[in-house]
C-alpha cells in the first residue's frame, strides 16, 4: 500500500484553494484536510462541491465551499473576506482554477481571449493580492501557482491557455522577490498530463495513451493526488527556504 507523508506544520493552517470542486483542485482540498488544515475552496458547482466536502471531511476538518466565478475580481475579493471571517487569516494560497478549453488561433476573438486570461492568469494575480495582505501581517505565508507542461511540450490547440500557463512562472518569480522579505514564499507547481475525470472523458483516447507511453519516462499515469502531494510539501515548513522555483510533476515528460 502506498503511504504518504504527514506534515505537522500544516495542522490548523488556513488554506485557500481556487477551483477546488473538481479535478486536481478537489484532490488538493482533500490532501490539506487530511493534514488537519482549515480549507476554503472556490468553485461554481454546488453539487460537485458537496461531494468534495464529503470526501475531505472524512479525512479532516470540514472544508468551507465559497461559490465564486474566478473571472470576477470583486467576487474573488468577497470570497477572501468570507474565508477570513469564517476561518481566520489566510496562511496558504493554492492558485489552481483554470480553463483549458481548446481553440485555434484564427478563431480567437477579443472577448474569448480576455475571458481566458481572466481565469488562467488574472484570477491568480488578484487572489495572490488578497492572500498576501494577510500573509504580510502575520509575517509568513505560502503561495503556489499552478502552471502546466502544455507550453513546454508545444501542445497543439490551446495557445491562449499555454501563454497564460507560461506566465505563471513569471508571476511566481516576480512575487517571490516582492514578498520574500515579508516571509512569504512563492513557487510554481507544474503538472504533466493528469488523469482527471474531465481529461479522461474529453481527451485521453488511444492516441493520447500512446503519447503518454512515448513521452513519459515512467510507466503509469499521474493522478491528482500526485500533484496534491507536491502542493503539501511546498506549503509545509519542510520547504521553508524554497522560493521562486518551479517543481514539475510530469512522470519525466519534459
Ligand atoms: N489535468 C491536467 O492534465 C493538467 C495538466 C497541466 C496543468 N494542469 C493545471 O492544474 C490545475 C488543475 O487542473 P484540472 O485539470 O483539475 O482543471 P479543471 O479543468 O478541472 O479546472 C480546474 C478548476 O477550475 C474551475 N474553474 C474553471 N473556470 C472557473 C471560473 N471561471 N471560476 C471558478 N472556477 C473555475 C473548474 O471548475 C475546476 O474546478 C489547473 O491550473 C491546470 O492548468 C492540469
Amino acid at each position: 500500500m502506498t503511504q504518504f507523508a504527514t506534515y505537522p506544520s500544516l495542522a490548523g493552517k488556513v488554506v485557500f484553494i481556487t477551483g477546488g470542486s473538481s479535478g486536481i483542485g478537489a484532490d488538493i482540498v482533500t490532501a490539506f484536510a487530511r493534514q488537519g488544515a482549515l480549507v476554503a475552496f472556490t468553485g461554481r458547482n454546488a453539487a460537485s462541491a458537496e461531494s468534495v466536502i464529503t470526501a475531505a471531511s472524512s479525512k479532516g476538518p470540514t472544508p468551507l465551499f465559497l461559490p465564486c466565478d474566478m473571472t470576477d475580481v470583486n467576487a474573488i475579493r468577497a470570497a477572501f473576506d468570507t474565508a477570513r471571517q469564517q476561518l481566520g487569516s489566510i496562511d496558504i494560497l493554492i492558485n489552481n482554477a483554470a480553463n483549458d478549453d481548446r481553440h485555434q488561433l484564427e478563431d480567437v476573438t477579443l472577448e474569448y481571449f480576455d475571458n481566458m486570461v481572466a481565469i488562467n492568469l488574472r484570477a491568480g494575480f488578484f487572489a495572490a493580492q488578497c492572500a498576501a495582505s494577510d500573509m504580510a501581517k502575520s509575517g509568513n505565508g505560502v503561495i503556489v501557482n499552478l502552471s502546466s507542461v502544455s507550453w513546454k511540450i508545444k501542445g497543439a490547440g490551446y495557445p491562449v491557455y499555454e501563454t497564460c500557463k507560461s506566465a505563471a512562472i513569471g508571476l511566481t518569480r516576480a512575487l517571490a522577490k516582492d514578498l520574500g522579505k515579508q516571509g512569504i514564499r512563492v513557487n510554481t507547481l507544474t503538472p504533466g498530463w493528469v488523469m482527471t475525470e474531465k481529461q479522461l472523458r474529453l481527451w485521453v483516447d488511444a492516441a493520447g495513451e500512446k503519447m503518454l507511453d512515448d513521452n513519459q519516462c515512467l510507466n503509469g499515469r499521474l493522478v491528482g493526488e500526485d500533484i496534491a502531494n507536491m502542493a503539501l510539501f511546498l506549503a509545509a515548513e519542510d520547504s521553508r527556504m524554497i522560493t521562486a522555483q518551479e517543481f514539475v510533476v510530469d512522470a519525466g515528460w519534459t
Side-chain angles (χ1 to χ4, degrees):
M1 194 183 113
T2 308
Q3 291 190 317
F4 297 130
T6 298
Y7 295 97
S9 62
L10 293 177
K13 286 281 161 60
V14 177
V15 187
F16 193 105
I17 299 166
T18 70
S21 58
S22 64
I24 295 168
D27 288 310
I28 297 175
V29 170
T30 299
F32 276 99
R34 185 168 63 80
Q35 301 292 332
L38 309 178
V39 176
F41 69 100
T42 68
R44 291 167 302 173
N45 184 324
S48 315
E50 202 49 53
S51 60
V52 175
I53 290 167
T54 303
S57 56
S58 71
K59 312 273 184 201
T62 301
L64 171 67
F65 171 53
L66 303 165
C68 176
D69 179 350
M70 294 293 297
T71 64
D72 179 344
V73 173
N74 288 329
I76 294 172
R77 290 174 173 148
F80 271 90
D81 285 342
T82 307
R84 274 184 207 109
Q85 281 157 16
Q86 301 213 18
L87 302 180
S89 174
I90 311 299
D91 298 303
I92 296 158
L93 166 65
I94 310 292
N95 267 327
N96 168 80
N99 182 351
D100 62 354
D101 189 29
R102 294 332 193 236
H103 48 274
Q104 295 301 315
L105 175 63
E106 61 273 21
D107 299 328
V108 173
T109 62
L110 180 58
E111 186 187 17
Y112 182 86
F113 181 92
D114 286 347
N115 193 262
M116 288 295 276
V117 172
I119 182 61
N120 290 313
L121 180 58
R122 192 178 75 186
F125 184 96
F126 284 98
Q129 186 186 64
C130 291
S133 71
D134 285 24
M135 295 171 182
K137 279 179 211 142
S138 57
N140 61 66
V142 174
I143 298 171
V144 177
N145 296 316
L146 275 281
S147 181
S148 166
V149 294
S150 56
W151 61 274
K152 297 177 184 235
I153 63 170
K154 300 179 283 291
Y158 45 169
V160 185
Y161 171 81
E162 288 180 48
T163 303
C164 293
K165 284 289 156 182
S166 68
I169 291 181
L171 177 63
T172 287
R173 294 181 65 80
L175 295 185
K177 186 68 179 174
D178 284 349
L179 301 175
K181 294 289 195 271
Q182 295 162 75
I184 302 169
R185 299 187 295 111
V186 189
N187 288 293
T188 302
L189 169 46
T190 300
W193 198 359
V194 181
M195 303 295 102
T196 63
E197 180 276 325
K198 177 181 157 188
Q199 298 294 319
L200 288 166
R201 177 167 38 85
L202 294 179
W203 293 302
V204 187
D205 54 10
E209 296 281 8
K210 182 171 183 328
M211 193 189 294
L212 285 159
D213 288 337
D214 289 347
N215 288 291
Q216 288 187 179
C217 294
L218 297 174
N219 289 324
R221 298 293 180 251
L222 291 161
V223 294
E225 202 172 38
D226 297 312
I227 310 306
N229 286 342
M230 179 58 82
L232 295 178
F233 170 72
L234 292 175
E237 283 177 15
D238 299 63
S239 59
R240 69 181 195 93
M241 292 303 281
I242 298 176
T243 196
Q245 305 306 312
E246 180 194 13
F247 294 81
V248 181
V249 182
D250 71 349
W253 189 322
T254 53

